[in-house]
Amino acid sequence: MQFKTLVLSILTVFSVSAGANAWEVHLPESALDESLILVDKGKDEFFYLEKHGNEITRLHYPSIHGEKEGDKQVQGDLKTPEGVYFVRGKIQVPLDFEMYGDHAYPLNYPNPIDVLRGKTGGGIWIHSKGNPIAGQVTQGCVAIDLADIKALDKYLQAGTPVLIAQGIKSSFHKEKELERREVQSPAPESPAKEHGEAPALSEAEAEKLAEAGSLGANALEVAEEKEQDFSQLLNSFMSSDSSENAEAKNEQKEQGESSEASTEEVQSAQDEEQAVIAAQEPTEETQKPAAAQEEAVYADNSQDMDFIRQATLDWNNAWADRSEEFFDFYDTEKYSRTSGSFEKFKAQKQGLFSTLSWIYIAVDDVEVLEGPGYFVSWFKQYYVAPNHKTEGIRRLYWMKDETGAYKVCAMEWLPRAVKLEHTLTDKIQKDAPAFIEKWRLAWEQADINAYASFYTEHAIQDTRRGLDQIIAQKQEVWSVKKPTKVHFSNITMSMEKEGLIVRMVQDYEDNRGYHDKGMKVLTMIPKGDSWIISKEWWRRL
């Protein structure tokens, strides 16, 4: 399976002038793929970026943010949060036009890392104002002019990533010097204050708007998906329009994962990393050209970025393999604080791993962003098991544990059609026949090591139980007589609860002149990009 990956390499530094917690982002030119919103609080700039091949669409607008500078910590501090966030949907019910314009886009603040750090508040939106924003401030939201937000309407979708920082440096988000209108510094008596600007709506109030139909279908990363009857599954995942139906569903109960971080306040929250740029005498390193220094910084950070990208793929593979190694990816303490008891989560998963005969997971478009002290990876995921299927965008939040290893501390889920159902049909129609042919050749050539690689450890072959018994029997037979012909015909395949059931007529001959003909039935389960045999039986025709 091909994995299309995006890695946004970001250097976190802290600006003394904007407060000890101000976050500055450095992006390399190769960072952008698909879409991204950048909010530069220091320069009051808002960018929407979208990449099409080698072409970048850049929309550049003036913006305003919270009345107080610095990273938001508590409800009512009038600060705009800094970090990695995602658009949750669109609020379209009537709003106070003067304060919010005619619609708004809520962000997922507090995100799981904010929760871990004990940050409070909510209702952080991207919105506009009834009057020009020049000279105005917000209570913590990001605002752009009414005409600008209307121009952005077709681009802002649920799941669009948003980086909010005190400063943004890159060689690609500005095309030389883009034309823009300057925003004046907030006036002591701004129009917003004169008209009694109300505080931003809380998360609970935003959710009430959502329940009233103000957010578009599938806009929120909450709710659960009902289990799907397996017979319906077999009909749906092979059909061309199954993803359209899946878009209307939410996350399934079986996965048992919280799609939003708990809003419970966390005591003894982890302190944010802080760094102060100290004045020092020029050195050989500091005298390097600025571009060379920046390139070196990105190179130093690349190992972490590559690790998160690969760990995301490994996490999905461990889940699909129903492996105990799946649980090693988690920071159990942090996960329990963001998503509920890890022990209950683990017990529930272990129960499923022991009862489900197979799990298939397709992953595409893996993207990674670094926030202040954490990483977020997100990707398209298509999940199929014997009792249901689901698809959407999954997010993993990674932080270092006490040993310095990156672990998953929270997850989020956005149900939506990701159009990966073809990967399973391809796996059946293309990969399965190729797998069977390789297995046939290993058998025909009496290659014991290659032959063994096609079976699970606990595979069943007629009366033999386990790979050891299967291999022992083949070694005994092949020491006396070796196969000269293994031929299959009339092959049929069907996906069932046990796995992919392959039925075929088998013709067999060996070098002693023995010949037989019978019906061979294989049960194969997904294994990474290929298959593996879990059960095999034969009867004479």
Side-chain angles (χ1 to χ4, degrees):
M1 184 185 303
Q2 296 295 319
F3 295 99
K4 179 182 178 184
T5 61
L6 162 67
V7 177
L8 297 184
S9 179
I10 302 174
L11 167 68
T12 301
V13 298
F14 297 85
S15 169
V16 178
S17 61
N21 292 330
W23 181 45
E24 189 172 90
V25 181
H26 293 237
L27 299 174
E29 187 173 358
S30 60
L32 177 65
D33 193 8
E34 297 194 355
S35 60
L36 175 65
I37 291 173
L38 302 176
V39 177
D40 188 330
K41 292 167 55 177
K43 294 184 178 179
D44 289 323
E45 293 181 318
F46 183 108
F47 295 87
Y48 175 81
L49 307 171
E50 188 171 285
K51 191 170 184 179
H52 305 276
N54 293 325
E55 298 295 323
I56 298 177
T57 297
R58 298 175 180 85
L59 303 179
H60 182 199
Y61 306 113
S63 64
I64 55 175
H65 55 278
E67 180 178 340
K68 302 294 184 181
E69 294 297 338
D71 184 16
K72 186 173 186 63
Q73 301 295 319
V74 297
Q75 183 173 358
D77 65 7
L78 305 180
K79 298 178 182 180
T80 298
E82 297 172 5
V84 179
Y85 301 98
F86 296 87
V87 174
R88 300 188 65 216
K90 180 179 180 181
I91 296 178
Q92 301 179 85
V93 295
L95 300 171
D96 185 312
F97 181 76
E98 184 176 349
M99 290 187 289
Y100 303 114
D102 51 13
H103 60 269
Y105 301 89
L107 303 182
N108 67 326
Y109 174 87
N111 68 24
I113 307 305
D114 296 328
V115 173
L116 282 173
R117 291 170 172 169
K119 296 182 180 182
T120 60
I124 302 301
W125 300 349
I126 297 173
H127 63 80
S128 61
K129 295 276 189 179
N131 295 313
I133 62 172
Q136 297 200 56
V137 291
T138 74
Q139 298 287 327
C141 294
V142 174
I144 58 178
D145 276 320
L146 187 62
D148 298 335
I149 203 168
K150 289 182 176 179
L152 278 172
D153 186 59
K154 63 181 179 180
Y155 298 106
L156 295 182
Q157 304 294 326
T160 301
V162 181
L163 264 65
I164 306 177
Q166 179 64 28
I168 297 175
K169 295 183 179 180
S170 84
S171 59
F172 72 91
H173 76 287
K174 293 183 179 181
E175 189 176 21
K176 296 182 180 179
E177 291 298 328
L178 295 177
E179 292 292 332
R180 69 184 297 276
R181 297 188 307 279
E182 294 298 326
V183 178
Q184 301 172 4
S185 299
E189 294 294 331
S190 69
K193 293 298 180 182
E194 291 173 3
H195 291 280
E197 182 173 4
L201 295 185
S202 69
E203 191 76 4
E205 291 169 329
E207 292 297 337
K208 289 181 180 179
L209 293 178
E211 293 171 2
S214 58
L215 293 175
N218 308 311
L220 294 178
E221 304 94 323
V222 293
E224 298 173 331
E225 182 178 79
K226 296 180 180 178
E227 291 189 356
Q228 185 177 16
D229 182 77
F230 188 76
S231 61
Q232 295 177 350
L233 167 66
L234 295 180
N235 292 330
S236 64
F237 82 73
M238 295 292 286
S239 65
S240 60
D241 62 349
S242 62
S243 64
E244 300 302 321
N245 296 328
E247 186 173 13
K249 301 184 179 201
N250 296 321
E251 172 111 51
Q252 75 284 0
K253 290 182 180 179
E254 182 199 277
Q255 293 190 39
E257 297 165 355
S258 174
S259 53
E260 288 277 353
S262 169
T263 56
E264 181 181 357
E265 292 188 22
V266 179
Q267 300 301 319
S268 64
Q270 177 177 330
D271 292 336
E272 287 193 354
E273 296 180 358
Q274 299 186 9
V276 176
I277 302 175
Q280 56 183 327
E281 292 298 321
T283 65
E284 181 179 351
E285 182 66 23
T286 60
Q287 288 175 340
K288 289 181 180 179
Q293 292 184 42
E294 195 164 296
E295 182 178 348
V297 169
Y298 298 147
D300 291 342
N301 199 38
S302 63
Q303 290 185 350
D304 282 346
M305 304 302 292
D306 289 344
F307 175 85
I308 296 298
R309 175 183 57 190
Q310 186 59 51
T312 297
L313 300 178
D314 292 343
W315 176 87
N316 278 279
N317 289 335
W319 184 3
D321 289 344
R322 298 166 293 154
S323 169
E324 282 294 306
E325 295 178 358
F326 176 73
F327 305 107
D328 295 337
F329 285 88
Y330 291 87
D331 185 311
T332 59
E333 187 269 336
K334 289 187 176 71
Y335 183 89
S336 295
R337 290 161 59 189
T338 64
S339 308
S341 168
F342 179 80
E343 292 306 316
K344 289 183 179 179
F345 165 77
K346 182 178 180 179
Q348 184 261 353
K349 282 292 184 189
Q350 287 175 323
L352 291 172
F353 288 173
S354 65
T355 56
L356 293 175
S357 54
W358 57 274
I359 294 174
Y360 172 76
I361 297 177
V363 174
D364 199 7
D365 292 347
V366 179
E367 305 184 34
V368 180
L369 279 172
E370 186 182 5
Y374 62 93
F375 287 89
V376 186
S377 62
W378 71 100
F379 47 91
K380 296 176 182 177
Q381 185 186 68
Y382 180 72
Y383 173 104
V384 184
N387 59 340
H388 71 273
K389 70 170 183 175
T390 189
E391 60 184 319
I393 305 297
R394 188 171 295 280
R395 303 182 197 129
L396 302 179
Y397 288 78
W398 304 79
M399 294 183 75
K400 284 186 176 181
D401 65 8
E402 62 278 2
T403 70
Y406 283 108
K407 299 288 185 177
V408 174
C409 58
M411 292 180 287
E412 291 179 320
W413 175 251
L414 176 60
R416 69 191 314 172
V418 295
K419 303 187 183 304
L420 292 179
E421 66 278 2
H422 66 87
T423 60
L424 184 52
T425 58
D426 288 348
K427 194 176 185 67
I428 295 171
Q429 297 170 1
K430 299 177 182 178
D431 296 345
F435 173 86
I436 293 168
E437 175 60 14
K438 291 177 181 178
W439 168 69
R440 185 195 70 80
L441 287 173
W443 182 6
E444 190 174 73
Q445 296 167 4
D447 186 336
I448 193 66
N449 292 327
Y451 182 82
S453 69
F454 289 89
Y455 293 85
T456 67
E457 181 181 356
H458 303 290
I460 297 174
Q461 187 184 70
D462 296 322
T463 60
R464 294 170 286 282
R465 298 293 185 271
L467 183 59
D468 290 345
Q469 289 188 16
I470 293 172
I471 297 308
Q473 187 267 348
K474 279 293 183 286
Q475 286 177 322
E476 180 181 354
V477 171
W478 292 350
S479 67
V480 178
K481 50 186 178 180
K482 296 185 184 298
T484 57
K485 175 185 176 182
V486 178
H487 180 263
F488 301 130
S489 60
N490 301 329
I491 300 175
T492 63
M493 297 183 293
S494 63
M495 199 71 187
E496 301 180 14
K497 284 189 176 183
E498 295 77 15
L500 181 63
I501 308 301
V502 181
R503 297 175 176 86
M504 51 198 174
V505 175
Q506 173 185 298
D507 281 292
Y508 176 87
E509 294 180 9
D510 66 26
N511 59 0
R512 291 290 188 90
Y514 174 80
H515 171 264
D516 64 34
K517 185 175 183 178
M519 173 63 68
K520 174 74 72 176
V521 179
L522 299 177
T523 300
M524 301 174 5
I525 59 176
K527 176 70 173 178
D529 292 339
S530 187
W531 297 87
I532 196 164
I533 299 170
S534 62
K535 195 172 184 179
E536 174 187 352
W537 64 267
W538 175 87
R539 65 177 175 83
R540 187 182 300 274
L541 291 177

